[in-house]
Structures are given as C-alpha cells and as structure tokens.
Amino acid sequence: MIVAGVGGRSGVSADEIEQVVRMALDMFELPAARLSAFATESAKAADPAFVEAARRISVPLRACTLDELDRVAGRVLTPSKLVLETKGVPSIAEASALVVAGRNARLLGTRVATACATCAIAIGDGR
C-alpha cells in the first residue's frame, strides 16, 4: 500500500494540495496510479480542498485521529514545531502517511512542502 500523507494550512486550495502530492510522487518516481490513499488529520479530512484533491487523483481520503498520529510520532523524519504547538503532534503529513500505510509502514523520505501544503509518501502492508 502506498499512501500520500497530506497536511495544509487553513484555507489551502485543492490545486496546491494536488501540486504538493504530485511533487512528492515525482520525487520518488511514482505514478499517481500507484497511490492507494490520501491520508490526513481528521479535521482536515472534512475540508473541501482535501476532498477535491483526493477526487482529482482518484484515491480515497482517509482520516487519522490525533491519537493515531501521536502513536507514530517517534517515526516521523521532519517534525514541525508549528504543528506540535497547534495540534499537539509533531507531524500531519508524515504521521498520517505512516498510520494509513499500516503494518511495516516506512516513509520513502522526508515530506515535500509548498507555501501552504505538505506531503509525505509511505509504503506499508495496510491497516
């Protein structure tokens, strides 16, 4: 299972989310067709921009609770001080990718960022 974990500032557009996901896929030379899911924090999963970006890339959007993100906190590669201060967890993109990728999940590398969005790619055996 290959998962794109996505984070974004309030008001981020579907265009920017799609852009950061495609940047991450390009970095790891993966076609969008290989993606199994988008993953993000529960509150963001209801945001129309996240829903639309997942629709555009034709993958389901999976929501992760803050407790789930916290459980993988020690495995993220690039913790965010801002996310830690606002959400109480060190990562949205990397942690949500790890959570949804499931058993034996590992990040392919550090997250990719644009001005308002981040994306990390993880591979694993699924939830």
Side-chain angles (χ1 to χ4, degrees):
M1 170 173 247
I2 299 174
V3 179
V6 185
R9 292 187 178 160
S10 180
V12 66
S13 69
D15 289 340
E16 189 162 354
I17 295 168
E18 181 181 8
Q19 175 190 9
V20 78
V21 170
R22 292 192 186 280
M23 285 170 52
L25 290 170
D26 286 349
M27 176 184 282
F28 300 110
E29 300 178 352
L30 291 168
R34 299 259 333 262
L35 268 184
S36 305
F38 263 28
T40 194
E41 185 257 329
S42 296
K44 295 185 181 305
D47 184 312
F50 284 81
V51 174
E52 174 61 16
R55 185 197 65 76
R56 290 179 186 178
I57 298 182
S58 301
V59 293
L61 179 60
R62 303 286 185 235
C64 302
T65 66
L66 291 174
D67 285 342
E68 289 174 316
L69 299 179
D70 191 47
R71 280 196 284 271
V72 298
R75 296 172 44 211
V76 301
L77 301 175
T78 49
S80 165
K81 185 177 177 183
L82 177 63
V83 172
L84 186 59
E85 290 171 357
T86 59
K87 297 286 186 173
V89 295
S91 169
I92 298 295
E94 291 181 5
S96 60
L98 287 166
V99 167
V100 174
R103 290 183 317 112
N104 301 313
R106 65 177 176 83
L107 293 167
L108 298 184
T110 60
R111 63 184 163 88
V112 174
T114 60
C116 295
T118 59
C119 179
I121 307 293
I123 189 166
D125 298 333
R127 280 184 162 176

